[in-house]
């Protein structure tokens, strides 16, 4: 017998709605007669340990025995509410909801036992998979109660007594991962692992430019390759890109090798389309020109122009961050199987409901005819929340009337992705005679994410500006944010920490420049800018600030917390210590996804410009942290992600074609380049849970470049640090002695 379970979810009794959707226990929990507690995770597992975190929250309030807990993956379906595993919101949006679900089922089990024993429900208590009656020393297991408990009405949220924080046994604890042992044993299923009877494999030759068109195809040589079954010409998409397939020619074969060899032999002629003139270097100069002129005012405090005019000293700097690619270790892959007018897909997606909609849209069938089974993801970073590859699999499978696994190679991934936007920024500040900042002007321009969903969109949205621009927390009497318009020529999408990457780089780099101009210590100057403890509300200064979808009452912009991580990271690095020749320390602090992170980097630069990252110290205040071990690994991984992009990350385009095809051209940090020493601190807090996966990334780049300046006097305002013309050396004129 079972209690709850996914089969009951669609028509089960609803609990009071809470943030994130229905909190009914039968949506997430199934108790089996063998005492297994099966928890359905409605978020996607990609190494961030969301399976374990979701299970910890439910098991805590359920009082389940952790050794009996098992997790299964939910399909993509609206009954689960929001399933988008991005925006660092899985715990933030579901913490209370899942606690309520676990507490509801615990209450039902306690009531069932009380009825059986003819005692008051309040006298019964669930403990580690059993309901006990302390007064009579009786106990009964969850499995034995499951059949009768199923008949219990689901309690309202008001009837549920959630556990006190002091009584938590799983939440805030370093509970062992539910997925890592399975990965080590080769269990579990990633997107590429899916196998179906009679399955074919497909790869696609896509247009080299976005919205390019196929003019001619000759597949005669392709058809001679042993194993090739068929070629399929895909429809050419029309703007906006959305999650449509890019078009081109699919080569379908009995194995991956045959499909790849067949693709190489296609003779293709393309019509260039509207983006043939796109040159990323020319575009960078155009963006820089935009931010040198006044833009649209999006936030305003005081009179910046007057304050700049009367300042004792004016400081200005311009910053540039290039396009970036996600390059997850597992490129996109999806499998599709048709049964009449219904299609079932297996895919490594971050947003299964978006995949469901994309397939339904491109195949012109009802969404209810689409089933999305979510596999584990070999990394995501935002790429796999864009399900164009799932739509491709469905289209090709229907065309050949057989199950098809649609495979993207690394070359496909790098040359046909959704790219993180290039950005140009100009910052100006006015200092008084004592070096205090009295005016702060920030201009930013970048091709916007909305361009992927709305043809012609060129103005930064409030959702993008909240990512490190409209929420600048500095205690400056005159502050202004301006934006410029920019056209998009590639598919623009979100990447881990999104616009925070370039906004934090510019702002935190500029803070260090102001400290230098004021002849102040960079850490002390940063703390002065952060100012006294207070809550900042950008909405009072003309911004439309939605605070990452969370209430400013529950998640205020709290300068005390930002200052605390700054002082903590500095203390971890022993900030004021003497350094060897050629060494330098840099610091940066940033709030994103309602979480506060500060990072200190120590570098060594020799006389020939060789760079080594000696150490990294990071402090994070993410409020209530479900699993401290996994938060530490996210803090480490997110920091390394930011450092790698700062060192090498750059996607360029000539004549509309992306130039980087594989890892020799698209560099990532290697093991011998990683920090020699890495130390992290998770600050204990009883604040609501904040994001974990993305907040560590933004401060990494400015902390690194600030450290380089401290070591050798080289100010880096354009990323990456090592581009094609400066592959492994800094252009140093001298090293600090």
């Amino acid at each position: 017998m079972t209690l709850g379970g996914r089969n009951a979810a669609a028509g089960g009794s609803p609990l009071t709605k809470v943030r994130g959707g229905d909190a009914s226990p039968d949506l997430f929990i199934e108790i089996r007669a063998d005492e297994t507690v099966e928890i359905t995770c409605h978020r996607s597992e990609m190494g961030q340990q969301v399976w374990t975190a979701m299970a910890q929250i439910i098991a805590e309030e359920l009082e389940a025995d952790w050794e009996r807990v098992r997790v299964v993956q939910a399909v993509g379906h609206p009954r689960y509410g929001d399933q988008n595993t991005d925006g660092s919101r899985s715990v933030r949006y579901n913490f209370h909801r899942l606690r309520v679900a676990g507490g509801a089922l615990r209450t039902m089990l306690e009531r069932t036992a009380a009825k059986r024993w003819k005692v008051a429900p309040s006298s019964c208590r669930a403990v580690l998979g059993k309901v006990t009656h302390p007064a009579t020393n009786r106990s009964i297991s969850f499995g034995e109660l499951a059949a009768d408990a199923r008949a219990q009405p689901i309690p309202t949220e008001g009837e549920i007594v959630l556990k006190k924080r002091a009584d938590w046994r799983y939440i805030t604890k370093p509970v062992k991962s539910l997925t890592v042992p399975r990965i080590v044993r080769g269990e579990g299923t990633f997107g590429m692992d899916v196998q179906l009877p009679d399955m074919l494999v497909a790869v696609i030759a896509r247009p080299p430019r976005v919205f390019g068109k196929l003019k001619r195809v000759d597949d005669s040589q392709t058809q001679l390759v042993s194993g090739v079954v068929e070629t399929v010409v895909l429809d050419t998409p029309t703007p906006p890109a959305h999650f449509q397939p890019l078009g081109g020619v699919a080569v379908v074969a009995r194995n991956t090798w045959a499909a790849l060899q067949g693709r190489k032999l296609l003779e293709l002629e393309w019509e260039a389309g509207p983006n043939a003139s796109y040159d990323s270097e020319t575009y960078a100069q155009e963006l820089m020109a935009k931010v040198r002129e006044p833009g649209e005012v999006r936030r305003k405090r005081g009179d910046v122009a007057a304050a700049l005019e009367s300042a004792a000293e004016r400081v200005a700097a311009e910053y540039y961050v290039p396009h970036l690619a996600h390059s997850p270790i597992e490129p996109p892959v999806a499998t599709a199987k048709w049964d009449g007018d219904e299609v079932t897909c297996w895919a490594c997606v971050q947003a299964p409901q978006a995949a469901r909609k994309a397939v339904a849209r491109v195949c012109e069938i009802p969404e209810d005819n689409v089933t999305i089974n979510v596999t584990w993801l070999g990394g995501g970073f935002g790429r796999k929340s864009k399900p164009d590859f799932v739509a491709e699999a469905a289209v090709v499978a229907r065309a050949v009337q057989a199950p098809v696994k649609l495979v993207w190679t690394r070359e496909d991934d790098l040359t046909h992705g959704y790219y993180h936007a290039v950005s140009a920024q100009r910052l100006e500040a006015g200092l008084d005679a004592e070096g205090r900042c009295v005016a702060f002007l920030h201009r930013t321009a970048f091709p916007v994410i909305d361009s992927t969903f709305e043809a012609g969109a060129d103005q930064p949205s409030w959702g993008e500006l909240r990512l490190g621009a409209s929420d600048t927390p500095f205690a400056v009497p005159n502050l202004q944010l301006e934006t410029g318009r920019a056209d998009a020529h590639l598919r623009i999408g979100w990447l881990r920490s999104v616009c925070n990457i370039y906004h934090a780089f510019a702002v935190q780099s500029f803070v260090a420049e102001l400290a230098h101009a004021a002849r102040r210590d960079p850490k002390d100057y940063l703390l002065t800018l952060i100012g006294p403890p207070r809550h900042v509300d950008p909405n009072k200064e003309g911004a439309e600030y939605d605070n990452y979808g969370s209430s400013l009452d529950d998640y205020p912009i709290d300068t005390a917390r930002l200052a605390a991580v700054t002082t903590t990271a500095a203390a971890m690095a022993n900030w004021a210590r003497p350094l060897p020749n050629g060494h330098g320390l840099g610091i940066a602090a940033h709030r994103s996804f309602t979480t506060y992170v500060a990072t200190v980097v120590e570098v060594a630069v020799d006389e020939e410009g060789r760079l080594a990252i000696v150490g990294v110290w990071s402090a994070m205040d993410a409020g209530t942290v479900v699993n401290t071990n996994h938060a530490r690994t996210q803090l480490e991984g997110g920091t390394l992600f930011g450092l790698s992009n700062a060192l090498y990350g750059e996607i360029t385009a000539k004549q509309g074609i992306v130039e980087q095809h594989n890892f020799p051209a698209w560099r990532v940090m290697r093991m011998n380049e990683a920090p020699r020493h890495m130390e992290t601190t998770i600050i204990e807090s009883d604040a609501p849970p904040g994001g974990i996966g993305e907040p560590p990334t933004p401060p990494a780049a400015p902390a690194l470049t600030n450290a380089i300046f401290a070591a050798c006097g080289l100010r880096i305002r354009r990323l990456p640090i090592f581009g094609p013309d400066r592959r492994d050396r800094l252009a140093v004129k001298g090293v600090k002695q």
Side-chain angles (χ1 to χ4, degrees):
M1 302 295 292
T2 63
L3 172 60
R6 294 158 306 288
N7 292 333
S13 302
L15 187 69
T16 303
K17 295 281 184 178
V18 297
R19 172 62 182 273
D22 193 346
S24 298
D26 56 4
L27 194 61
F28 298 106
I29 313 165
E30 184 169 352
I31 298 178
R32 299 182 179 276
D34 66 358
E35 307 300 338
T36 298
V37 177
E38 189 171 272
I39 293 174
T40 297
C41 181
H42 67 302
R43 296 293 173 128
S44 300
E45 178 61 64
M46 49 188 156
Q48 84 284 34
Q49 303 300 323
V50 72
W51 270 25
T52 306
M54 300 291 103
Q56 280 181 257
I57 298 167
I58 290 175
E60 183 67 74
E61 292 296 341
L62 178 59
E63 265 294 330
D65 179 350
W66 189 253
E67 297 302 318
R68 298 284 188 175
V69 170
R70 302 291 181 270
V71 177
V72 295
Q73 181 67 50
V75 299
H77 198 281
R79 64 174 173 257
Y80 294 106
D82 178 24
Q83 288 183 269
N84 293 342
T85 314
D86 55 22
S88 294
R89 55 189 170 183
S90 291
V91 170
R92 181 159 52 98
Y93 275 23
N94 289 283
F95 186 70
H96 179 67
R97 178 191 185 195
L98 296 183
R99 288 185 70 198
V100 169
L105 188 47
R106 167 172 46 82
T107 301
M108 294 165 68
L109 290 162
E110 290 171 342
R111 289 176 176 178
T112 301
K115 182 177 180 181
R116 184 173 296 189
W117 292 329
K118 297 181 173 56
V119 297
S122 60
S123 68
C124 297
R125 182 177 174 227
V127 181
L128 288 176
K130 296 180 180 181
V131 176
T132 66
H133 186 243
T136 59
N137 201 29
R138 285 182 287 185
S139 68
I140 187 169
S141 72
F142 285 1
E144 294 175 273
L145 291 168
D148 291 342
R150 187 176 182 84
Q152 282 278 343
I154 297 176
T156 65
E157 186 176 353
E159 297 176 276
I160 300 165
V161 179
L162 296 178
K163 294 172 67 174
K164 296 179 181 178
R165 188 182 186 95
D167 296 329
W168 286 349
R169 70 170 77 246
Y170 300 133
I171 298 175
T172 73
K173 306 301 190 294
V175 174
K176 292 182 179 179
S177 169
L178 294 173
T179 56
V180 169
R182 295 181 60 184
I183 294 171
V184 171
R185 293 193 297 263
E187 300 171 357
T189 302
F190 291 90
M192 195 64 183
D193 294 332
V194 173
Q195 297 292 329
L196 299 178
D198 302 318
M199 184 184 75
L200 301 174
V201 178
V203 296
I204 298 176
R206 299 172 183 84
R209 303 170 182 86
V210 177
F211 299 123
K213 298 180 180 180
L214 180 66
K215 291 178 64 177
R216 185 185 67 85
V217 57
D218 182 346
D219 65 352
S220 57
Q221 293 300 307
T222 297
Q223 296 289 356
L224 298 177
V225 174
S226 177
V228 168
V229 173
E230 190 172 343
T231 59
V232 178
V233 176
L234 279 69
D235 292 340
T236 300
T238 56
H242 210 271
F243 300 139
Q244 301 177 81
L246 284 171
V249 180
V251 178
V252 186
R254 303 198 183 282
N255 56 69
T256 309
W257 178 252
L260 290 170
Q261 297 309 302
R263 183 171 67 172
K264 290 179 182 178
L265 295 174
L266 287 172
E267 293 185 16
L268 303 167
E269 185 179 348
W270 303 100
E271 182 180 311
N275 296 300
S277 64
Y278 180 52
D279 180 286
S280 54
E281 183 57 37
T282 301
Y283 187 77
Q285 300 309 314
E286 293 171 356
L287 283 184
M288 281 298 183
K290 286 181 184 293
V291 297
R292 290 171 187 147
E293 300 293 333
E296 181 175 341
V297 177
R298 308 294 289 272
R299 181 185 176 191
K300 181 178 177 64
R301 177 197 305 160
D303 189 336
V304 163
L308 285 172
E309 187 66 29
S310 62
E313 182 178 359
R314 294 180 66 164
V315 181
E318 296 173 350
Y319 301 92
Y320 173 85
V321 176
H323 289 298
L324 299 172
H326 306 81
S327 60
I329 192 169
E330 176 194 40
V333 58
T335 302
K337 178 183 178 182
W338 283 86
D339 183 6
D341 62 351
E342 297 183 354
V343 60
T344 301
C345 302
W346 293 259
C348 48
V349 288
Q350 294 176 240
Q353 291 182 45
R356 193 169 182 247
K357 291 179 184 293
V359 171
R361 179 181 177 182
V362 73
C363 295
E364 299 181 323
I365 59 174
E367 286 183 32
D368 286 345
N369 289 20
V370 182
T371 299
I372 303 293
N373 295 296
V374 182
T375 67
W376 284 351
L377 285 63
F381 312 122
R383 172 59 181 98
K384 293 174 183 174
S385 58
K386 303 147 180 99
D388 55 322
F389 58 100
V390 189
E392 288 178 334
V395 168
V396 176
R398 185 170 63 177
V400 300
Q401 290 295 294
V404 169
K405 179 189 291 184
L406 192 286
V407 176
W408 282 52
T409 64
R410 179 63 60 199
E411 291 85 351
D412 296 332
D413 174 49
L414 284 176
T415 56
H416 298 293
Y418 289 80
Y419 302 97
H420 189 258
V422 60
S423 168
Q425 297 176 78
R426 179 177 173 85
L427 287 92
E428 299 182 25
L431 307 182
D432 66 13
E434 284 74 41
R436 292 185 293 261
C437 184
V438 295
F440 190 93
L441 172 64
H442 184 182
R443 293 191 188 127
T444 182
F446 50 89
V448 298
I449 293 172
D450 280 350
S451 65
T452 293
F453 304 98
E454 179 185 342
D458 62 359
Q459 176 71 298
S461 68
W462 286 112
E464 289 167 303
L465 294 178
R466 74 179 180 192
L467 304 165
S470 65
D471 55 349
T472 299
F474 296 156
V476 177
N478 304 283
L479 182 148
Q480 189 159 301
L481 170 68
E482 299 175 8
T483 60
R485 295 178 179 272
D487 294 325
H489 300 281
L490 298 174
R491 295 193 297 180
I492 303 300
W494 46 93
L495 175 144
R496 189 178 195 170
S497 83
V498 205
C499 307
N500 286 293
I501 290 176
Y502 42 76
H503 288 147
F505 172 64
V507 170
Q508 291 296 306
S509 295
F510 194 57
V511 170
E513 298 209 38
L514 295 182
H516 183 71
R519 298 173 178 81
R520 293 276 306 280
D521 175 84
K523 182 262 294 182
D524 294 341
Y525 202 85
L526 173 58
L527 289 171
T528 299
L529 277 176
I530 293 171
R534 69 198 187 285
H535 292 173
V536 177
D537 185 355
N539 293 292
K540 295 179 179 179
E541 297 169 358
E544 295 180 19
Y545 185 73
D546 76 348
N547 198 34
Y548 295 91
S550 295
S551 164
L552 272 171
D553 293 330
D554 296 333
Y555 293 91
I557 301 175
D558 189 336
T559 60
R561 293 174 71 184
L562 185 61
V565 293
T566 302
T567 55
T568 299
M572 292 164 61
N574 193 8
W575 178 263
R577 61 187 160 91
L579 294 172
N581 291 344
H583 285 236
L585 288 173
I587 191 168
H590 190 68
R591 175 190 185 268
S592 65
F593 305 94
T594 74
T595 287
Y596 305 79
V597 177
T599 296
V600 174
V601 173
E602 180 181 351
V603 303
V605 181
D606 69 17
E607 293 180 354
E608 295 182 3
R610 286 185 290 256
L611 173 69
I613 302 176
V614 177
V616 174
W617 298 264
S618 295
M620 178 166 67
D621 178 354
T624 298
V625 172
V626 171
N627 192 304
T628 51
N629 268 0
H630 300 156
R632 289 181 185 278
T633 59
Q634 287 291 290
L635 182 50
E636 293 173 354
T639 300
L640 292 171
F641 187 85
L643 294 174
S644 181
N645 281 332
L647 287 169
Y648 301 113
E650 183 174 31
I651 290 292
T652 59
K654 291 284 188 184
Q655 297 180 341
I657 301 173
V658 170
E659 295 183 289
Q660 290 73 26
H661 291 173
N662 210 318
F663 285 132
W666 168 258
R667 280 277 274 115
V668 296
M669 178 189 287
R670 294 170 180 159
M671 291 180 68
N672 66 329
E673 299 168 318
R676 308 297 195 267
H677 175 83
M678 201 163 190
E679 187 177 336
T680 59
T681 291
I682 307 297
I683 293 179
E684 291 188 15
S685 172
D686 59 2
I692 295 288
E694 293 168 280
T697 295
L704 174 61
T705 54
N706 290 340
I708 291 171
F709 177 80
C712 65
L714 177 65
R715 184 70 73 186
I716 295 173
R717 299 189 180 105
R718 176 169 180 155
L719 296 179
I721 295 168
F722 298 122
D725 58 340
R726 48 191 191 285
R727 180 57 61 190
D728 58 1
R729 295 287 191 277
L730 295 172
V732 298
K733 296 180 180 179
V735 176
K736 185 182 73 173
Q737 299 298 317

